[in-house]
Structure formats: C-alpha cells, structure tokens
Amino acid sequence: DAAPPIGTPLPTAAPGQWQYVDLPNAKCRDGSNAGLYVRYSDTSDDFFIYLEGGGVCLNDFFCGINPKNVNQTMNAESVINGVTGLLAVKQAPGNEGIFKNDPRNPVASWNAVYVPYCTGDIWGGGRTNATFPAGFEGLGGHTAGQHQFVGFETTSVVLGRVVATFPDAKKTLISGSSAGGIGALLNAHRLAALLRSQGSSARGYVVSDSAVPFADKYLAACTQKNWRSLWGLDGAFPEDCPDCFAADGGGMATGLSRYFMKKFPDDTQVLGGLISSVDDEIIKLFYSTALPGCTPTAYGLGTYQAALSDFRDNVVGRQRFATYFMPGTL
C-alpha cells in the first residue's frame, strides 16, 4: 500500500486568503520545520497541491543554490540569466499561473495548497543525517555536515493532512515546477492511493511543469543510482514495484509508470500532463552533471526533445498523458 497515513485536518481560516501552517512533523534539509500554505475556497470542495521547485542538493554547486529551509528562495530559474545563490526570502505562493484568479484558470476556484521546497531531493528522499561521500565536495562547503533528505516523509505529512481537510473533493490535482514537477509525478500514485483508502472516488490529475524522469536511454542509469544512494530515493518507490529497483540503478521512469498503470488501469481515475520547453537548460544541466563513477547523458541537438517525446509516447502513453512542448531553453 503506497498510501501515506491520514493526518489531522489543517486549521480553518477565512476563504480567499493564504495562511501559513507550520509542520513540526515534517522537516527541511537543515532540520528545521517544513510548512505549507493553504487558501480555502467558499465555492468548491476540490483541491490542488503545488510542490515548489528550487533545484537539488546533489553536489557543492547545486547544494549552494538549493533552499535548505522555508526561509530561503532560489533567485533564478535560468542559468543563462545567472543563478547567483539564494535569497533570504521566505518561499510563498504567487498570483500568476496556477494561482491566478482568472476564469481561464480551471482550478481558480479550488482549495489551494502551496508547499515550499526545502529537502533538496525531488520530494522523495529518505535519508536522515546524510553526509556526502568523497568526490562530491566543492569549494563552497555547501556539502559539508549532515543533510536531512526527507522529502518522502515531508510529502507524506502534507498529503495526509490535505486529504483529511478536504474529504469531499471530487477532483484533485498535484502539480509542481522543476524539482516540484518530478515530485508531483513521484507522489501522484500516493495521493491517489490515499484518496482511495479513504473511500474517495475523486478523479486525480497530475501535471508536471518542466521536469520528468526519462527512460534510461535518455537519463543514465548511473545518474539515477547516484540519486538513489545520496538521497535514499528507493524508499519513495512502492515495495510491490519490482521494475522500480533495477540492479544498475535505472528504471525510475519506466518502473513507476508500469506500476501506476497497474494500480490505476481506468483512465477515469487518474490523468496526467507535462509542460516543457524542448531544450530546458536547467533540467539538461541537472541530468548531465558529471558525478563520481558515472558518465552522464549528453544532450546534443534534438536529444532532449526526443527524450520528452519518448516519455510521452512510450513511457506513459498519450491516452493517459497530455503534453505541451514549446520552443526554447527556459
């Protein structure tokens, strides 16, 4: 059973205003408390959860620009435009995109949950007091000390409390951008399983903005193995998903997709989608980063777009997964 435990309902508040809720049972990478924002609707029982992005803590460079608590914000989403570090600004929801009060926004009237990103592990890690092995360190000292890669447990707390708060939802959405986009895909089956365990017949949607784990042809198995080892990522995959645990460390995308289709074979239960530019510079950099003992994937002309198409056509399938691909690198 991939469902996390049901939690206690979130505190009530006046509709239409964001309220921050501290989560003492969920932690950030530096051991401080995680949290979430909730905005209640007075017209809908449905809800969406948005998982924030902000890179990963993978080596000294990436750890240096990855928020380690909710009071840090990554200051750019473009390497070309310059990522210079972190801002000492608390992560908070904006007023655009999925949060915009606009009749063209299909979830504008839903209950909304925004979750700051502070575990550095694509919302799936399961290692406490983790240290970096030799070869990952750098000049900035950002890999020094112990790190709490506990995104799996943090997400469990969030899902448990949100489902307890909105038991009458008929539609749900889990979404996110960049690392949060992978996190949404990694946790969609867990949200669906929790809803089902509570007797809910809600229809689930998952939409990733700018990030998917590719098939091994386009995302080196050794890269995936490094993620699994460093973050304790294997704990995010269900025990009854044999294809999720390839001996070489690969199979993340294909294994979880097969599991998902087996658990939720009816396309009226769960549907998904992906938004991405065809040459996303951030994710290409992340996926092609050289790590000790690994030759990463090289993304030449057209390779990233081919990987996106392969994910849509062969890993998930068009009947369950819609895409919007745009030109450019952002």
Side-chain angles (χ1 to χ4, degrees):
D1 184 1
I6 193 71
T8 58
L10 298 168
T12 58
Q17 302 297 319
W18 287 107
Q19 176 187 2
Y20 183 75
V21 180
D22 186 60
L23 299 175
N25 295 329
K27 300 301 178 182
C28 293
R29 184 159 61 88
D30 65 359
S32 61
N33 289 355
L36 60 79
Y37 293 81
V38 59
R39 186 184 66 194
Y40 289 98
S41 169
D42 57 2
T43 61
S44 177
D45 293 324
D46 301 331
F47 69 83
F48 73 82
I49 300 171
Y50 182 88
L51 303 177
E52 183 59 276
V56 290
C57 185
L58 183 63
N59 57 21
D60 202 73
F61 170 75
F62 282 109
C63 291
I65 58 174
N66 170 249
K68 61 183 177 182
N69 56 57
V70 298
N71 294 311
Q72 294 182 334
T73 300
M74 188 174 176
N75 73 333
E77 292 186 356
S78 168
V79 174
I80 291 176
N81 292 338
V83 177
T84 58
L86 294 165
L87 297 177
V89 176
K90 190 170 186 174
Q91 296 176 56
N95 297 307
E96 294 297 322
I98 197 171
F99 307 114
K100 187 164 186 161
N101 183 14
D102 188 305
R104 295 172 297 175
N105 177 7
V107 299
S109 65
W110 291 19
N111 297 283
V113 176
Y114 168 94
V115 194
Y117 177 50
C118 62
T119 55
D121 55 9
I122 60 174
W123 296 95
R127 281 189 70 201
T128 58
N129 302 322
T131 57
F132 277 81
F136 287 79
E137 67 277 353
L139 299 177
H142 303 296
T143 58
Q146 295 183 333
H147 303 259
Q148 310 306 315
F149 295 124
V150 291
F152 181 80
E153 181 58 32
T154 297
T155 311
S156 295
V157 172
V158 169
L159 297 181
R161 297 200 65 178
V162 170
V163 170
T165 306
F166 306 110
D168 298 323
K170 297 298 185 291
K171 295 180 182 179
T172 72
L173 165 67
I174 185 168
S175 184
S177 179
S178 192
I182 299 181
L185 294 171
L186 200 59
N187 288 284
H189 73 283
R190 303 181 67 217
L191 174 58
L194 178 55
L195 288 162
R196 189 163 68 177
S197 75
Q198 297 301 302
S200 171
S201 59
R203 189 178 201 184
Y205 298 88
V206 52
V207 176
S208 171
D209 174 4
S210 307
V212 292
F214 294 139
D216 294 0
K217 177 182 178 181
Y218 297 104
L219 178 56
C222 61
T223 297
Q224 299 177 54
K225 186 175 182 178
N226 270 302
W227 297 354
R228 293 175 187 266
S229 175
L230 180 61
W231 300 327
L233 203 59
D234 275 350
F237 297 102
E239 292 181 1
D240 61 337
C241 177
D243 293 336
C244 292
F245 304 98
D248 61 0
M252 284 176 49
T254 52
L256 192 58
S257 174
R258 290 169 187 157
Y259 172 88
F260 200 104
M261 300 307 175
K262 179 181 177 181
K263 288 289 184 178
F264 304 98
D266 184 351
D267 64 10
T268 67
Q269 293 178 301
V270 184
L271 290 171
L274 168 66
I275 306 160
S276 180
S277 60
V278 296
D279 284 299
D280 186 306
E281 63 180 22
I282 292 286
I283 308 301
K284 278 202 296 188
L285 175 65
F286 172 36
Y287 286 3
S288 63
T289 296
L291 298 170
C294 177
T295 301
T297 304
Y299 292 97
L301 183 65
T303 305
Y304 193 83
Q305 184 170 5
L308 291 171
S309 297
D310 176 72
F311 184 87
R312 176 193 62 199
D313 297 337
N314 302 318
V315 176
V316 182
R318 292 187 183 221
Q319 64 270 39
R320 295 292 293 273
F321 201 78
T323 52
Y324 180 76
F325 297 157
M326 65 197 87
T329 61
L330 298 182

